Amino acid sequence: MKLLVIEDDLANSKFLERALTENGYTIDLAHNAAMADRLALDGDYAAVILDLGLPDEDGLTLITRLKARGFSAPVLILSARRALDDRVRGLEQGGDDYLVKPYALPELLARLRNLLRRNSTPTDQSTVLRVLDLELNLLRREASRAGETLQLTTQEFALLEFLCRNSGRVVTRSMILQQVWGMRIQPDTNVVDVHIYRLRSKVERPDLPTMIRTIRGVGYVLRDK
Ligand code: CA
């Protein structure tokens, strides 16, 4: 599930990026309103985490403009402004929830889950990913193959979600590292291969066709036909 994090504070945005990635989300970071504007145009975001004090524009002005443009993802405001007036104004001007800095990560995650739940209906197609007989429920974090539940760890789920979103296309190890682990450079480890190996042991079944193929020297592809 993809989130847009709009935050100019480098330490906090790095922290959020790592914490949210570890919790199975895919993150796009915007360090200012102009960048957020560009990303929001073509990004398919499940939710937005918004810092109000941005260098080039007030966060509330930004969100008002995005919503007027039809942007509908729920917005969790994260701000050091703790006065009641500020919180009320934030919620009135397009924020769906408001969390005061400094915040505790478990509370942020809980509020985020709440927002995502509130914003979706059981029939919402964007919460269920299907590729052949694989099915991923992104809200409940449940995966199944041919109707049988797969017991996946958070990282395995995120990896399978990434493969599903790119089914039929080859994804390289560095794409996986960047999208699933949030790493920009390829470390000298076989972290991707190890996780693919574990994922395969759960997804592949002797009685069903192979889903995850290795493209030697390049990466992997999830079969879509
Ligand atoms: Ca700020």
Side-chain angles (χ1 to χ4, degrees), residues 7-220:
E7 164 67 284
D8 61 317
D9 181 275
L10 219 57
N12 190 42
S13 61
K14 283 284 150 209
F15 170 76
L16 280 175
E17 185 177 37
R18 198 182 58 234
L20 293 168
T21 306
E22 275 169 8
N23 279 276
Y25 298 102
T26 305
I27 307 301
D28 277 348
L29 269 181
H31 297 295
N32 53 49
M35 220 174 139
D37 256 335
R38 268 198 312 280
L39 287 169
L41 263 185
D42 42 31
D44 178 24
Y45 298 106
V48 176
I49 296 177
L50 170 74
D51 172 48
L52 288 187
L54 297 171
D56 51 345
E57 188 173 40
D58 186 80
L60 285 183
T61 313
L62 166 69
I63 215 64
T64 306
R65 192 174 60 250
L66 289 182
K67 296 235 163 173
R69 224 162 60 187
F71 186 79
S72 62
V75 177
L76 172 59
I77 294 174
L78 205 56
S79 175
R81 303 175 197 167
R82 55 175 59 246
L84 181 63
D85 273 2
D86 288 323
R87 281 181 283 154
V88 170
R89 213 156 61 89
L91 292 171
E92 278 176 354
Q93 296 191 13
D96 296 274
D97 200 358
Y98 197 108
L99 190 58
V100 173
K101 288 182 187 176
Y103 58 90
L105 182 62
E107 186 180 4
L108 179 119
L109 292 172
R111 283 174 185 260
L112 191 57
R113 276 194 298 272
N114 230 348
L115 272 190
L116 294 169
R117 215 173 12 242
R118 229 197 288 162
N119 203 47
S120 73
T121 58
T123 53
D124 190 341
Q125 286 304 303
S126 64
T127 65
V128 177
L129 278 180
R130 279 187 200 87
V131 179
L132 302 178
D133 57 1
L134 269 178
E135 192 174 303
L136 268 68
N137 187 308
L138 303 177
L139 269 190
R140 295 200 214 113
R141 316 301 293 170
E142 285 169 2
S144 66
R145 175 153 194 211
E148 259 184 49
T149 304
L150 307 173
Q151 302 294 337
L152 303 182
T153 64
T154 306
Q155 290 293 6
E156 288 161 359
F157 189 94
L159 178 55
L160 187 58
E161 180 185 343
F162 181 65
L163 290 172
C164 284
R165 289 193 188 280
N166 293 282
S167 60
R169 291 199 290 258
V170 179
V171 293
T172 64
R173 285 181 181 76
S174 56
M175 282 164 74
I176 294 174
L177 275 169
Q178 178 162 347
Q179 291 300 315
V180 180
W181 277 271
M183 298 180 193
R184 302 253 180 265
I185 40 163
Q186 188 153 350
D188 194 18
T189 67
N190 58 351
V191 56
V192 172
D193 304 76
V194 169
H195 277 80
I196 289 276
Y197 175 82
R198 292 200 195 122
L199 186 60
R200 273 183 167 142
S201 73
K202 298 177 180 181
V203 168
E204 307 295 4
R205 278 170 35 183
D207 58 324
L208 296 173
T210 303
M211 287 300 291
I212 305 169
R213 290 196 183 132
T214 304
I215 309 297
R216 253 158 56 103
V218 183
Y220 304 94

